Amino acid sequence: MSARPLILVSNDDSLTAPGIAHLVRVLQEINAEIVVVAPAAPQSGMGHAITIGHPLRLDKSGIFGPEVEAYACSGTPADCVKIAKYYVLRDRRPALVVSGINHGSNSSVNVLYSGTMSAAIEAAIEGLPAIGFSLCEYGDQADFSHVGPWVRQVCELALTQGIPAHTALNVNIPKNAAGPIQGIRLARQADAKWEEDFDRRLDPYQRPYYWLQGKFANHDRGLDTDEAALAENYVSVVPCKYDLTNYDGLKQLADTWQLPLPTAEKAATPPQPLAGQDYGPAAGELVNE
């Protein structure tokens, strides 16, 4: 790569989390220009929440040294990417948006709750190539010492070979204690979920409160899933789209409910903005310039 690629970095564990510090160091090794906009406080499990009823605050930080332009944002991970694109980087287009490295797995259904992946998916919505990295080990003391080569390899492939348009890659890395990583495997999202319960407790005033708890259950026996790849100590890479339409379900409803499907011509017509609304510049389809 002749010119230094501009990479926007965010996460959900906050600007001060160890995972994002490891990520910035890896990106510096590939000679990238790095701009960080990350939450000022932890935002794990926020999903794709955005701030609409309160002002956002943006504070410049020197946490990564003078070579890295960094900001702490008072909002969510999705807020961070929005304000980065439309304010911090308003005259610059990043070659890649990278979120993480998350403290904990975001495989399978966890992608829906993940603030890490929501930052990446927000970038994909804006037409920017994006990756969310997660380490399958929780806690501030998680061992990130082995993740560098895998993060670097995925980022370099994304920069040189591109990512499908409007797609965010969900990358999960096995924990170091699980043994040597076997390689990188493309995968689909496993059909797995949390089997949850609420523990009812009493505060000192004998008022009840509830604590969410549960166990992760993978009933998907497919060998092509992210959970299967991680179980064999592979880095899993799942390409994710924000279009949640169930196309098979659309056809099934048309048959069982006796309702017409939209024609291809109508389906190809882009939605028109409402009068008086400004939707900003249109996002391009090019993902690897």
Side-chain angles (χ1 to χ4, degrees):
M1 293 172 289
S2 55
R4 295 179 69 200
L6 173 61
I7 298 180
L8 172 63
V9 175
S10 193
N11 73 347
D12 72 347
D13 289 316
S14 85
L15 188 70
T16 60
I20 199 170
H22 280 272
L23 180 58
V24 168
R25 283 196 290 271
V26 173
L27 297 177
Q28 286 177 315
E29 292 173 2
I30 64 175
N31 195 30
E33 179 186 356
I34 302 166
V35 175
V36 180
V37 182
Q43 299 282 334
S44 294
M46 289 298 290
H48 214 97
I50 57 172
T51 302
I52 57 175
H54 303 281
L56 287 178
R57 303 195 182 276
L58 200 62
D59 296 313
K60 196 161 187 178
S61 171
I63 189 171
F64 303 113
E67 297 297 318
V68 177
E69 183 181 352
Y71 301 86
C73 175
S74 63
T76 68
D79 287 330
C80 290
V81 174
K82 286 179 179 292
I83 201 168
K85 182 180 188 294
Y86 288 103
Y87 180 74
V88 177
L89 300 176
R90 57 187 176 275
D91 298 321
R92 296 178 284 171
R93 180 183 174 86
L96 186 62
V97 179
V98 185
S99 181
I101 302 167
N102 189 62
H103 296 236
S105 170
N106 276 318
S107 60
S108 185
V109 73
N110 296 306
V111 69
L112 295 176
Y113 306 109
S114 166
T116 300
M117 278 305 296
S118 289
I121 290 171
E122 181 63 33
I125 292 171
E126 295 290 350
L128 300 171
I131 307 170
F133 285 102
S134 300
L135 173 65
C136 298
E137 183 177 354
Y138 295 88
D140 288 340
Q141 302 305 315
D143 181 4
F144 289 88
S145 62
H146 65 302
V147 304
W150 305 104
V151 171
R152 177 171 180 163
Q153 183 175 347
V154 172
C155 288
E156 287 181 337
L157 284 170
L159 289 168
T160 57
Q161 305 303 318
I163 292 175
H166 300 288
T167 298
L169 302 183
N170 183 18
V171 180
N172 283 272
I173 302 172
K175 62 182 179 181
N176 202 16
I181 293 179
Q182 301 301 307
I184 298 175
R185 184 182 289 177
L186 293 172
R188 66 172 173 87
Q189 178 181 318
D191 183 9
K193 66 183 291 291
W194 287 90
E195 296 179 347
E196 295 167 328
D197 190 14
F198 285 89
D199 185 25
R200 185 179 185 272
R201 305 175 184 180
L202 297 176
D203 68 15
Y205 298 97
Q206 300 304 300
R207 296 174 302 191
Y209 67 96
Y210 303 87
W211 201 269
L212 178 63
Q213 58 187 12
K215 296 186 298 183
F216 187 70
N218 179 20
H219 302 297
D220 191 329
R221 300 306 176 209
L223 301 179
D224 58 343
T225 69
D226 50 5
E227 290 294 334
L230 291 166
E232 296 183 20
N233 248 33
Y234 282 86
V235 174
S236 67
V237 179
V238 178
C240 298
K241 294 182 66 177
Y242 51 85
D243 179 359
L244 300 181
T245 306
N246 182 342
Y247 290 95
D248 290 335
L250 192 64
K251 294 177 183 177
Q252 182 179 339
L253 287 173
D255 292 338
T256 58
W257 289 21
Q258 298 295 299
L259 292 174
L261 283 169
T263 65
E265 182 178 287
K266 289 181 179 179
T269 303
Q272 299 300 310
L274 299 176
Q277 289 190 342
D278 181 7
Y279 281 75
E285 291 294 321
L286 188 62
V287 297
N288 185 33
E289 297 179 327

